[in-house]
Amino acid sequence: MAEIDSPKGEAPVWRFGPFRLDTARRELTRSGKVLAINNRYFDALVLLLAADGTVVSKDMFLDRAWHG
């Protein structure tokens, strides 16, 4: 389960397992090491984490993560 690790009003930072996803810096790290991830995959990960376990429709996924 992902946990949000950022003060209210600031861009979310999620922690899950050894990973940390910083939306302001658009950076994914594992155990403190930056991982290369393209923009589409980053956006997809943000969308799924923000959904917090709820179903994300195909249309929403394509619109928000794949931008059409």
Side-chain angles (χ1 to χ4, degrees), residues 30-54:
R30 180 178 53 211
S31 302
K33 296 179 183 174
V34 177
L35 301 174
I37 183 171
N38 73 36
N39 287 331
R40 282 186 173 178
Y41 294 151
F42 187 92
D43 292 342
L45 189 51
V46 169
L47 175 63
L48 294 172
L49 288 168
D52 196 27
T54 62

Side-chain angles (χ1 to χ4, degrees), residues 5-37:
D5 183 26
S6 56
K8 288 196 177 231
E10 291 187 19
V13 175
W14 279 283
R15 290 185 183 275
F16 48 103
F19 298 96
R20 182 176 183 272
L21 184 106
D22 185 331
T23 58
R25 298 175 74 174
R26 293 193 61 84
E27 185 175 82
L28 176 64
T29 59
R30 180 178 53 211
S31 302
K33 296 179 183 174
V34 177
L35 301 174
I37 183 171

